[in-house]
Amino acid sequence: MTATTVARCTGAGPGGIAVLQVVGDVNAALHLCTPTPNCPEGTIVLGHVQDVDDVLLARRSEHDLLLMPHGGEAIVHTLLKRLQAMGIEQVHARTPLPAIDTEESAMLAALPLAPTRLALDVLLDQPRRWRAFDGNWTDADDARSARLGRLLSPPVVAMAGPPNIGKSTLLNALSGRRAAVVADAPGTTRDHVGLMLDLGGLVVEWIDTPGLRDTEDTIEAASIELALPRLRSADLLIGATDASQDWPALEQTIGRRPDMLVALRSDLGTPADAHVHCAALHGEGLDALVTAVRDALVFPEDLASMRPWRLGATA
Ligand SMILES: Nc1nc2c(ncn2[C@@H]2O[C@H](COP(=O)(O)OP(=O)(O)OP(=O)(O)O)[C@@H](O)[C@H]2O)c(=O)[nH]1
Ligand SMILES: [Mg+2]
């Protein structure tokens, strides 16, 4: 056999994912990973190169393997050095690099968008699902694909409720940092605060809004006014309150009913009708809330389904 070579198929400079193509005896490259992954022809698996990075491995044929680490220069450089130390010569890329089929090509194009392991796992399984698919696509498959699209394109979750019930405390607890000002005074939050949160494998933009109330304070009133469009357009609108107050009248305020009712400060009591309750100050009920929000946006049956996901569909 001719010498084993490696070619860098993606450009120099940082990128989401880099692609290195090993041609020849690809076993040496597979042995870079610990443990050595089983990667038969036509499969894509996730491996790990110790002290470097997770690496996607796509076995295009017996003698053709793609290594796809994150695209930072240090990672690519280290991998190339380790391959060269095994006697694998670096050569210029042969372009273009064709995918095995259109399903694999769509999946590869979407890979850099996957922000979590969950998104990556579901995405990696798509070529196999398309190959096994019976061809009978339904409206339900469209809806499921649109929800799965949220794994790549973070949906907006907005929480609305009366002042001083712990909305900002909840955001801080979910994010693990002090992102929003908290105080025992109504009208604490002014400009709404948006943070990207990983909720059990689904990344969302969580919007913490000022407490809804009639107020003489013109700055607070303007802040509330600014937040209303975010509430109207959120992918998931959460109505919140605590045991001492009513649920917010969102249908009157913004013309939209909440998708979920969450009771906060539940250590002080829980209002009737709450779908989920938590006491963020004490870290209680957060896991149940995270699961409820994730499941409302990407249904558990969407993740369990073995039917393929049509990439590009939006909810
Ligand atoms: N007992 C109890 N108090 C809490 C809990 N969460 C928040 N608090 C307290 O409730 C008060 C208000 O908290 P914030 O998070 O500022 O409430 P908010 O809903 O964001 O208030 P606005 O920004 O004014 O709308 C603070 O004193 C918090 O410490 C909780 O789970 N239990
Ligand atoms: Mg607040």
Side-chain angles (χ1 to χ4, degrees):
M1 195 201 300
T2 52
T4 303
T5 58
V6 59
R8 181 177 181 158
C9 304
T10 39
I17 298 273
V19 180
L20 307 179
Q21 184 182 24
V22 176
V23 174
D25 178 6
V26 304
N27 285 320
L30 286 173
H31 279 104
L32 269 183
C33 297
T34 323
T36 304
N38 181 24
C39 186
E41 277 184 60
T43 63
I44 301 178
V45 300
L46 188 63
H48 180 75
V49 180
Q50 202 168 359
D51 302 327
V52 182
D53 194 13
D54 284 341
V55 178
L56 281 174
L57 301 153
R59 183 77 174 266
R60 296 157 54 80
S61 70
E62 188 185 352
H63 299 299
D64 188 341
L65 177 76
L66 299 183
L67 301 182
M68 294 173 279
H70 288 106
E73 270 306 299
I75 289 175
V76 175
H77 185 74
T78 307
L79 276 182
L80 285 170
K81 281 274 170 244
R82 289 210 190 166
L83 289 165
Q84 283 162 3
M86 293 170 146
I88 297 176
E89 184 195 352
Q90 186 176 354
V91 295
H92 289 297
R94 291 166 291 275
T95 50
L97 181 66
I100 291 172
D101 52 30
T102 50
E103 286 78 34
E104 188 190 83
S105 155
M107 186 275 290
L108 288 174
L111 272 183
L113 301 175
T116 64
R117 177 66 194 246
L118 176 68
L120 203 55
D121 284 347
V122 182
L123 205 48
L124 286 177
D125 204 31
Q126 294 313 307
R128 190 184 64 75
R129 292 190 198 177
W130 278 112
R131 284 171 206 136
F133 182 49
D134 61 10
N136 183 22
W137 189 262
T138 66
D139 290 348
D141 290 317
D142 276 332
R144 181 177 48 79
S145 291
R147 287 188 298 271
L148 284 170
R150 292 172 166 158
L151 290 170
L152 304 181
S153 174
V156 173
V157 175
M159 176 169 271
N164 210 39
I165 56 164
K167 301 182 298 299
S168 301
T169 303
L170 174 64
L171 174 66
N172 289 347
L174 290 175
S175 67
R177 65 189 171 99
R178 193 170 169 273
V181 178
V182 166
D184 190 10
T188 300
T189 298
R190 294 296 174 99
D191 282 352
H192 53 275
V193 179
L195 272 196
M196 305 305 276
L197 301 179
D198 178 348
L199 301 183
L202 173 71
V203 173
V204 306
E205 186 186 4
W206 186 287
I207 312 281
D208 175 34
T209 59
L212 301 175
R213 64 168 175 173
D214 290 328
T215 171
E216 300 285 295
D217 181 329
T218 51
I219 296 175
E220 186 185 351
S223 299
I224 293 172
E225 199 60 38
L226 270 181
L228 299 184
R230 300 304 311 266
L231 296 177
R232 280 191 198 99
S233 65
D235 295 286
L236 187 80
L237 176 62
I238 299 178
T241 194
D242 70 0
S244 69
Q245 304 199 57
D246 292 330
W247 294 106
L250 293 173
E251 210 162 359
Q252 280 150 266
T253 322
I254 59 165
R256 178 177 171 188
R257 291 159 70 92
D259 303 297
M260 186 184 287
L261 295 176
V262 174
L264 303 177
R265 305 209 287 188
S266 59
D267 53 312
L268 304 176
T270 307
D273 309 333
H275 297 133
V276 194
H277 56 84
C278 64
L281 193 63
H282 310 292
E284 289 163 18
L286 295 178
D287 288 348
L289 174 64
V290 163
T291 303
V293 171
R294 191 194 67 180
D295 290 357
L297 289 161
V298 179
F299 300 168
E301 52 267 35
D302 299 337
L303 296 172
S305 170
M306 283 297 116
R307 293 174 69 81
W309 161 19
R310 182 167 284 156
L311 290 162
T314 49

